[in-house]
Structures are given as C-alpha cells and as structure tokens.
Amino acid sequence: MNRKEKIFQYLSEYARIQTDSGQEPEADSGFIAKKLGLDRSNVSRDLNELVREGLTVKLDGRPVKFVPAEFYRKPEAEKRESKEFAFMIGEDGSLKTQIQQGKSAVLYPPNGLHTLLAGPTGTGKTTFAEKLYQYAKAMKVMKEDAGFIVFNCAEYAQNQELILSQLFGHKKGAFTGAEKDKPGLVEKADGGILFLDEIHRLPPYGQEMLFLLMDKGCYRRLGETEEVRKASVLIIGATTENLNTTLLKTFLRRMPVVIHLPSLEKRPLIERLRLIEEFFSAEQKKIGAPIQVYKDVVIALLLYSCPGNIGQLSADIQLLCARAFLEFKVEQKEVVEINFEILPSYIQNGRLESSKKKSDLIEFLQYSEDYHMFLDSEADGESGTGNLYMEISKKYEKFLEQGRSGGEISDIIEDDLEQYMNALLKKYDMKKEHYEKKNLLKIIDAKVYYAVEDILQFAEIKLGRKMPERIKVGIAMHVNAMTERISKGIMLKEKELNDIVLNHP
C-alpha cells in the first residue's frame, strides 16, 4: 500500500467513525499527518490528488478540510441562498459605518443614491465599489447581467471631445475620425454602475456633462442635437483629494452620499492580519504549492510603514511570494518558505517596531513559539501570462535547459523581479503625496536617497534642465534595491567565512 492509499484508507475509516457517532466526517492535512506520522506537505499533496481523482471532496474554510466523496453531504440550496452577504474585512470593525452607508445608498429607491468614495491612495476604494455592485445584485436591486463599468477620469482630463465620446458615445461624423456610430460607457452601464475613478481629475465641463444624466436619466451622444437617450445609471466616484476644492458644488449636491475610507495605519491590527492572510492565500492559489509564512515575517508586515496602504501591502506580499517561489524552484523545496531574510529592509524595520508597539496581538505572536501561517495547496496554479509564478517557472525551465547553474538563474530572475517590483509599486510610491521625503525615507535608505539627490542635482546643472521627480524617485529606489542585494551578499560571505573559522579543526 503506497502513501496516498494509506491516507485515503485512514480518512475513510475516520469519516465512518465520526458519522456513526453523529459528528462531522472531515479532517485537515495537519491532523492526518500527525496521526500517520507523515510530512504535512506530502499529505496535503496526496489529498489534493485524491480530490482530482474524485475520491475526496475539499471543503471551504480554514484550515482546509477533506471528506471522502461517499460521506460528503451537499448543502441545501435554501441554506446557500440564505447565507448572509459577506462584504469585506472590517465589516464588523473599522468599516462598519462605511459599509452601512454604502448598502443604504445602493438600496435607496428607486435606483440608489450617487456616491463618492474618499480616502488616501490604496485604501480599497475600487474594491469597495465592486462590493457594492455585488451586494446590489445579491439583493436583487440590480439584474444579474447589470454592468460595472470603470472610467478613469485622469486618462482623458485634457481632452473634452474624448471625454464626451468615451462617456456618452458619438454619432458618425461628429468629429474627424468618427467613421461610425459608437455607444459610450453610459449606455453599457445602463441598469448598473458607472465607476468614475480619480473623479477629481474630471474637469468642470466634464462634471456638468453628467448633470442631465444624474437629474433625469437622460443623455445625448456627441454630435446628436435632437435625439435624447435614456439610461438608469448609478454613479460611484473615487478620489484621494479634498472634495470641496476639486469638485463643483453643483456636482457635489448631486452626490448625496460621501464615504470616507480610513488608511491602513488607522485600522486595527487584527484587520491588517486578516488582510495579510487573505493576500497570502490569494498568492498560494496562484502558485499551487504550500506556503509557510514565519512569525517574524507576519510581525514585520503588521508593523512596517506602508504609505500605499492596502494596495502596497498586497503588492509587497506578491513580491515576497515571487522571491520565495524562485528559491522554491531553484532549490527544489517542498514548501514555499516566506522567511525574514527575504524581506526588503523597509519591511524588516517593522519587526524593530514590535518593542515599541503595545498590542495584545503582537505580544501573542511574539510569545507563540509555534505561530506561523501554513497554507495548504489548493490549486495547480492559474494558467495564463498574468500569473507571475508561471512566468518564473517558464524562465527557470528555459535557463535550466541552457545548462545554467541555480545561482545564475537566481541572479537573472531576481533582476527581472526588481524591475517588476518597481513597476508594481509605482502606483503607490510615485504619486504626488509620496514624493515627500518623510515618506520616501521610510522605504529608501537615507544615505542612498541623499547620495542620489546630490548626483542628480549635479547632472541637472550640467544638462541645464530639471529632471522629473518620478525619475529621481525611480533611480533612488533602484539604487536602494541594488544596495540591499549587495549588502545581503556581503553578509552571506561573512557568514560562510565565520563558519569556516569556527568549524576548522
């Protein structure tokens, strides 16, 4: 009997005993591994193989539990339908009031109230709007096929003709290049939601164009003078700016609900922990292999300065997983390990804050020797070019076929990850509010930042022109990342040297 058969036999016997005694017949991989004296990651892998073979069923929840197919009882349809709509992390905490406001706005008869979402970059405004859309469908105030249409106002802020065309569509011949009639986003959003991201970038004439739609549900395509079209559209706007200085008062009056989303720093640590778990879980599903996250990493992620809020936290975790996955591939590990050593210095600094931060959660984590997150394998990895881990795997296999060593492959792909990281974090670190030195110095070593600043000032004098701030920040971040890698390499060499000296007879 091989290991997989042994696991299935034990699970079946356990399920039979549990059922006979009136208890639930499921078990998780950790429980089975302990009972059989096996490695947990191997048990998890075999259980997932049994799921693919149709012999066992995987249940939702944490920890992931399995039950033999013959003992699986499908939940009743009535129970599924009556299940309360889950909004998002913070529903019963820091976002309770905001979510109540949002739900009330969506349910208000006859078609809901137009709403503004305000808050710093990365606080989850887009996710909040999407959840309102899902809630509206769940509560049957919008049809199942209702649209959620996104329009980024910043992309067309300087072109009145394009804004009109994108929002309302145009008639053939309305302007040069308009060779046929084209519907706009308002028409696509009819019966659903039009989400106006960065609404503060919508110029006054753009705001005024929406008045007729918001007041009477009417609009005209660009170039139409007589025909009036009808549309029932709920508008949700998102902004990082002061509403009273960026939007017309006449426009604000038409947006009766304003919801302010708090920064990550102002949210409870327990919610941040749940976000961390959710992001790691999402990455694990893409990877398709078990992920182990150590206690020191969790504490650092809970306490490090994160100016880009939830968006940056998500991006940082994705890059940690990418680096750990590279190590997993090169060293042929059974588990993707997220350890303290792979953290960039600005996240490691969060661990240093634990001595200053008075929190029951941090104390619990510090004194729980065995605490770590272990996420079981739940998928074989998502296919498609959008999966970062698939790209890493392809490059690894390609370089391996070329006869390159593990060290060479690591260096090459690390360089790619560095560029990817800069592009991913650009959304959160390159915006105007994060150019300030006090924020930059939280993620870039002060010596590196000021050295780069001095060099670029000299270059500006020589070239006779001013460099864009985003170029300065980008160079500083790149140099900082390179410095970290060099320092890490030196530390490893010193460790090797110390080991030789200490172990030499």
Side-chain angles (χ1 to χ4, degrees):
M1 183 183 294
N2 62 30
R3 186 182 65 207
K4 185 171 72 173
E5 291 169 343
K6 186 178 178 182
I7 290 169
F8 181 65
Q9 183 185 60
Y10 177 81
L11 183 61
S12 298
E13 289 174 358
Y14 175 77
R16 189 171 291 108
I17 293 168
Q18 291 290 97
T19 301
D20 290 344
S21 61
Q23 299 181 63
E24 296 299 328
E26 68 263 9
D28 62 82
S29 58
F31 174 80
I32 296 172
K34 188 176 180 180
K35 291 293 184 182
L36 297 179
L38 297 172
D39 179 76
R40 181 177 176 176
S41 60
N42 288 334
V43 173
S44 176
R45 190 176 295 110
D46 288 341
L47 284 168
N48 279 284
E49 183 62 32
L50 288 166
V51 170
R52 284 189 285 274
E53 292 171 4
L55 295 173
T56 65
V57 175
K58 184 185 294 184
L59 306 178
D60 292 332
R62 290 288 176 194
V64 176
K65 291 187 176 182
F66 299 82
V67 61
E70 62 179 300
F71 290 93
Y72 176 60
R73 296 190 298 273
K74 206 169 186 178
E76 297 174 14
E78 295 77 32
K79 289 182 181 178
R80 289 201 305 270
E81 289 175 0
S82 64
K83 185 180 178 183
E84 188 180 350
F85 182 83
F87 204 92
M88 61 199 302
I89 291 170
E91 184 169 9
D92 294 321
S94 66
L95 297 180
K96 186 173 182 177
T97 301
Q98 290 87 337
I99 289 172
Q100 290 289 350
Q101 282 181 286
K103 287 180 176 180
S104 299
V106 164
L107 296 177
Y108 196 85
N111 301 312
L113 297 173
H114 302 306
T115 301
L116 278 173
L117 304 178
T121 302
T123 46
K125 294 183 288 295
T126 302
T127 301
F128 195 95
E130 288 172 347
K131 289 292 183 179
L132 287 178
Y133 164 67
Q134 292 163 10
Y135 178 73
K137 291 199 296 180
M139 298 302 290
K140 311 297 183 186
V141 296
M142 286 184 187
K143 294 180 180 178
E144 190 57 38
D145 61 351
F148 180 81
I149 308 300
V150 179
F151 178 72
N152 191 318
C153 302
E155 293 179 17
Y156 306 96
Q158 305 304 319
N159 192 317
Q160 181 174 351
E161 204 170 68
L162 267 179
I163 285 181
L164 282 164
S165 176
Q166 288 294 318
L167 284 175
F168 301 110
H170 61 250
K171 187 178 179 181
K172 180 180 178 181
F175 54 87
T176 305
E179 297 176 355
K180 59 181 180 180
D181 290 353
K182 177 193 168 187
L185 298 180
V186 167
E187 194 167 333
K188 292 179 182 178
D190 189 15
I193 290 175
L194 176 61
F195 178 60
L196 300 176
D197 197 12
E198 297 193 71
I199 197 170
H200 56 274
R201 299 293 303 276
L202 191 65
Y205 62 79
Q207 297 172 42
E208 289 168 352
M209 287 187 299
L210 291 167
F211 287 179
L212 185 61
L213 176 69
M214 298 168 81
D215 292 342
K216 298 184 178 180
C218 301
Y219 72 98
R220 288 190 180 93
R221 286 183 181 178
L222 181 61
E224 289 180 339
T225 54
E226 296 180 3
E227 186 177 357
V228 177
R229 300 173 183 269
K230 291 275 188 179
S232 173
V233 177
L234 180 63
I235 294 175
I236 299 179
T239 180
T240 58
E241 304 296 312
N242 185 318
L243 300 176
N244 294 317
T245 59
T246 55
L247 295 172
L248 296 173
K249 289 181 181 178
T250 46
F251 185 74
L252 284 173
R253 282 202 298 269
R254 290 170 167 85
M255 305 286 278
V257 180
V258 179
I259 300 173
H260 294 273
L261 299 183
S263 66
L264 186 59
E265 190 178 350
K266 291 180 180 177
R267 295 181 64 172
L269 282 180
I270 190 64
E271 290 181 8
R272 185 157 170 170
L273 178 61
R274 289 178 63 196
L275 287 165
I276 290 167
E277 290 174 342
E278 184 177 83
F279 295 147
F280 273 121
S281 180
E283 295 309 308
Q284 187 278 319
K285 288 175 183 175
K286 296 175 190 174
I287 291 172
I291 290 182
Q292 189 165 7
V293 188
Y294 289 96
K295 176 176 68 176
D296 282 350
V297 172
V298 177
I299 293 174
L301 287 168
L302 278 170
L303 297 178
Y304 83 107
S305 177
C306 193
N309 296 296
I310 297 172
Q312 184 182 336
L313 180 64
S314 174
D316 281 333
I317 286 174
Q318 185 179 22
L319 266 298
L320 292 182
C321 290
R323 286 175 171 166
F325 181 70
L326 176 59
E327 194 174 274
F328 166 81
K329 293 292 290 185
V330 172
E331 298 183 14
Q332 298 185 341
K333 294 182 176 182
E334 291 194 346
V335 175
V336 178
E337 292 184 275
I338 314 291
N339 54 50
F340 194 73
E341 287 68 33
I342 70 168
L343 302 184
S345 60
Y346 69 93
I347 296 180
Q348 286 185 353
N349 288 342
R351 185 68 180 86
L352 303 176
E353 294 294 316
S354 60
S355 59
K356 308 172 192 174
K357 187 82 174 181
K358 297 295 180 185
S359 161
D360 291 340
L361 177 61
I362 298 301
E363 285 187 23
F364 167 76
L365 294 175
Q366 285 178 317
Y367 295 110
S368 299
E369 291 295 326
D370 298 329
Y371 179 85
H372 64 273
M373 281 190 272
F374 189 99
L375 305 176
D376 286 316
S377 178
E378 294 186 9
D380 295 323
E382 296 173 1
S383 59
T385 55
N387 189 337
L388 175 64
Y389 309 103
M390 294 286 285
E391 296 301 311
I392 292 173
S393 292
K394 286 177 187 175
K395 287 183 178 180
Y396 172 76
E397 299 297 338
K398 176 185 172 184
F399 292 137
L400 207 59
E401 287 176 9
Q402 294 174 358
R404 296 179 186 258
S405 68
E408 283 181 300
I409 296 173
S410 290
D411 287 342
I412 295 168
I413 299 181
E414 267 285 356
D415 286 338
D416 289 344
L417 287 177
E418 231 170 71
Q419 293 176 30
Y420 181 83
M421 178 181 71
N422 288 339
L424 195 62
L425 294 180
K426 182 178 178 181
K427 181 179 177 182
Y428 306 105
D429 294 324
M430 295 293 184
K431 289 202 172 188
K432 185 178 178 181
E433 58 264 306
H434 301 315
Y435 286 157
E436 298 174 20
K437 289 180 185 176
K438 65 179 181 181
N439 285 326
L440 286 171
L441 295 179
K442 291 176 182 177
I443 58 174
I444 298 175
D445 186 274
K447 292 179 183 177
V448 171
Y449 180 83
Y450 289 118
V452 169
E453 190 176 56
D454 288 344
I455 293 167
L456 291 179
Q457 281 178 354
F458 178 76
E460 285 176 342
I461 293 168
K462 286 291 184 184
L463 295 170
R465 63 185 179 88
K466 191 84 173 168
M467 282 197 182
E469 195 66 30
R470 60 185 178 79
I471 300 292
K472 294 181 182 180
V473 176
I475 292 172
M477 289 181 71
H478 182 72
V479 172
N480 189 67
M482 292 298 293
T483 305
E484 282 181 3
R485 288 186 62 197
I486 293 167
S487 299
K488 190 175 177 182
I490 292 170
M491 287 168 65
L492 289 172
K493 292 296 181 187
E494 286 178 351
K495 185 178 182 301
E496 289 171 9
L497 187 59
N498 287 337
D499 288 344
I500 292 168
V501 172
L502 291 172
N503 297 322
H504 197 276

